[in-house]
Amino acid sequence: RQAGRQGGRLPLEPPRLHGSWSTPSSNAMWRESGLVRCEDVGVGENNPYLKDRYRSLRYGAAMLPPPEPQLDVVRLMDGCTSRALMGGVGGAVMGLLMGGFMHTMQPMNVDTSLSTWEQIKQSYKGFGQACTRMSRNFAKVGCVYAGVECCFERSRASRDVPNAMYAGCVTGGVLAFQAGPSAMAMGCAGFAAFSAVIETFLQH
């Protein structure tokens, strides 16, 4: 009643714990706090009003400029496009060597009455055309085979003999497309068998 006479407000008193009056401890629902200023409260681990999952955040990192993009050479070379290009280049080089070798092994009729330089020119006539033709064919095979094999490896998530067989079958069928269905079937079977033998030999 006396409090009501003084203004109708009751004075705040500490909570009653276990039936007795006691001062609030650190484990109580609330504790007395003084005036808190923004500059006194830390941003990181010293902030008592910050939850644990936000203590490790770095707010200043959002203001930093983004890092410069870097070229990952390993990832670039492991892509299917790069592997197909490398297979095409390797096949072209192999085709040049094979074309020159096969051309020199062909029987030729050389006129011995001519001079040495004329005989050499006559024997190596068509050498460049043979190398170019063989290089183009080998480049097609290497590019298609490497690209298809990479696609099968990505889709099957494995690198084994069946990938080589599937890639060889597709390559043989694509190269024999203009010759008709029977030639495509023969090319598929032949390339698949050859790829399986080579892959098994290389793995073991």
Side-chain angles (χ1 to χ4, degrees), residues 1 8 20 67 69 129-130 136 150 153 171 184-185:
R1 295 178 181 177
S20 62
Q129 296 179 357
R136 184 170 57 250
C150 179
E153 288 180 0
T171 304
M184 291 178 63

Side-chain angles (χ1 to χ4, degrees), residues 64-179:
L64 297 177
E68 297 181 359
Q70 297 180 356
L71 182 62
D72 192 355
V73 181
V74 178
R75 186 175 180 181
L76 180 63
M77 296 301 293
D78 197 35
C80 292
T81 304
S82 301
R83 292 177 62 176
L85 292 176
M86 288 188 296
V89 173
V93 174
M94 183 63 68
L96 286 174
L97 298 177
M98 291 295 296
F101 176 75
M102 296 298 293
H103 181 78
T104 55
M105 296 300 293
Q106 293 178 358
M108 298 180 183
N109 296 324
V110 180
D111 190 1
T112 57
S113 62
L114 299 176
S115 62
T116 305
W117 179 248
E118 293 295 332
Q119 293 182 19
I120 294 175
K121 290 175 60 177
Q122 186 178 1
S123 60
Y124 281 93
K125 185 178 182 180
F127 180 82
Q129 296 179 357
C131 292
T132 303
R133 182 174 60 256
M134 191 70 70
S135 175
R136 184 170 57 250
N137 294 334
F138 272 70
K140 290 179 182 179
V141 173
C143 182
V144 175
Y145 181 84
V148 174
E149 185 183 21
C150 179
C151 293
F152 277 114
E153 288 180 0
R154 295 293 177 85
S155 62
R156 299 181 67 246
S158 63
R159 180 174 295 179
D160 49 8
V161 178
N163 287 336
M165 295 179 62
Y166 299 151
C169 179
V170 173
T171 304
V174 169
L175 295 178
F177 177 76
Q178 297 179 352

Side-chain angles (χ1 to χ4, degrees), residues 160-161 196-204:
D160 49 8
V161 178
V197 172
I198 295 299
E199 189 70 19
T200 304
F201 177 76
L202 291 178
Q203 285 186 358
H204 297 283

